[in-house]
Amino acid sequence: MVMDESSMTDPELVSKLRNADPSSRRSFLRRSAAAGAGALALAVGSSNAALAHDGQDDSFDDVEVLNFALRLEHLEYAFYRDGLERFDEKDFRKADVLRGFSNRVKGDVLPNLEDIRDHEETHVDELTRIIEEELGEDANEEECYDFGYDTASEFLGVAAVLENTGVSAYDGAISLIEKEEYLTAGATIATVEARHASYLNLLNDDSPFPDAFDPTKTPSQVLAAAGGFIVSCE
């Protein structure tokens, strides 16, 4: 199976990568497609039902919904944690996608991304606590990922894809939650993810608030958008 751009990510966001270095963008997309080829089978065959539940997107219980959210949060936290170990302030200042922004905006990118990283880590910790301590169940652990970026511009493009996917995932999953306290937890995380997405859309020359209503995604659709970054651990 070969994934095209539309099956791998939001096509409008991926198109922003075309404004960066063409050769690095082509390499990035090839690697992302290669990662996606094995990721769908990996995710569907996973022992937990977080992203695939007997083919039924409306048959989750609260543990499965929260583990679904946790799986995405693990992915996002690992993305920022590892990426910010690779890129520094100078890399972001020189990023092609940020050309035209003021020095002040460019200087704020790294500390803002560090805040986003810390938010994602907090989400991981809180969802893990709820699943293990309040529900007495096993929480999903971090998996292995290949995000395929080479440059700071590509990193910012993937970040926008992940955050927008996260918003749609939470919007879709909230309706599946039964207990009110967990509904509140999901909703308050969703609004923070939306703030992240707005900021990253702006950096990628996209509208920070493109629609009056955010689209929702089912777990299967989320898997199609983000599952390509999950790879088999060696």
Side-chain angles (χ1 to χ4, degrees):
M1 179 182 69
V2 177
M3 299 180 72
D4 61 20
E5 293 178 12
S6 62
S7 65
M8 184 170 52
T9 54
D10 186 319
E12 293 183 0
L13 290 170
V14 171
S15 72
K16 300 304 178 182
L17 294 173
R18 294 182 178 136
N19 296 323
D21 182 351
S23 62
S24 64
R25 177 189 166 274
R26 285 193 296 271
S27 175
F28 161 74
L29 290 175
R30 282 197 299 270
R31 281 195 311 280
S32 293
L40 184 60
L42 171 69
V44 172
S46 174
S47 60
N48 69 73
L51 286 183
H53 184 69
D54 298 328
Q56 302 296 320
D57 281 325
D58 60 352
S59 58
F60 290 81
D61 60 29
D62 283 354
V63 173
E64 290 168 334
V65 174
L66 294 173
N67 255 327
F68 163 68
L70 178 57
R71 195 173 190 187
L72 295 177
E73 294 293 350
H74 273 305
L75 184 149
E76 290 180 322
Y77 171 57
F79 169 77
Y80 289 107
R81 178 196 64 207
D82 297 347
L84 297 182
E85 290 178 357
R86 177 173 178 179
F87 300 117
D88 57 19
E89 181 179 350
K90 184 182 296 184
D91 293 319
F92 290 113
R93 284 186 178 275
K94 295 188 299 183
D96 290 337
V97 74
L98 299 181
R99 190 177 300 163
F101 282 104
S102 68
N103 286 331
R104 178 179 178 181
V105 171
K106 293 178 181 179
D108 287 342
V109 169
L110 179 58
N112 285 340
L113 292 176
E114 290 172 338
D115 284 343
I116 294 175
R117 174 202 62 200
D118 294 345
H119 293 168
E120 306 298 3
E121 183 179 24
T122 300
H123 296 166
V124 167
D125 292 342
E126 179 61 12
L127 289 171
T128 299
R129 184 195 65 78
I130 291 173
I131 294 168
E132 293 183 344
E133 296 182 12
E134 295 188 16
L135 295 173
E137 300 287 347
D138 293 332
N140 280 342
E141 297 181 354
E142 183 176 315
E143 298 171 89
C144 296
Y145 314 104
D146 182 0
F147 297 103
Y149 54 78
D150 280 326
T151 68
S153 287
E154 290 176 350
F155 176 84
L156 291 171
V158 176
V161 169
L162 294 180
E163 295 296 346
N164 281 276
T165 300
V167 172
S168 295
Y170 272 102
D171 286 348
I174 284 174
S175 65
L176 305 175
I177 297 176
E178 297 179 357
K179 291 188 177 180
E180 183 176 348
E181 59 265 38
Y182 304 143
L183 180 63
T184 300
T188 53
I189 291 177
T191 57
V192 174
E193 296 290 344
R195 294 170 194 248
H196 298 167
S198 293
Y199 176 65
L200 286 156
N201 281 0
L202 184 63
L203 293 184
N204 282 277
D205 194 26
D206 210 349
S207 173
F209 29 78
D211 299 298
F213 298 94
D214 282 325
T216 63
K217 283 186 171 68
T218 66
S220 296
Q221 291 170 325
V222 172
L223 175 60
F229 298 119
I230 304 172
V231 298
S232 177
C233 296
E234 296 295 337

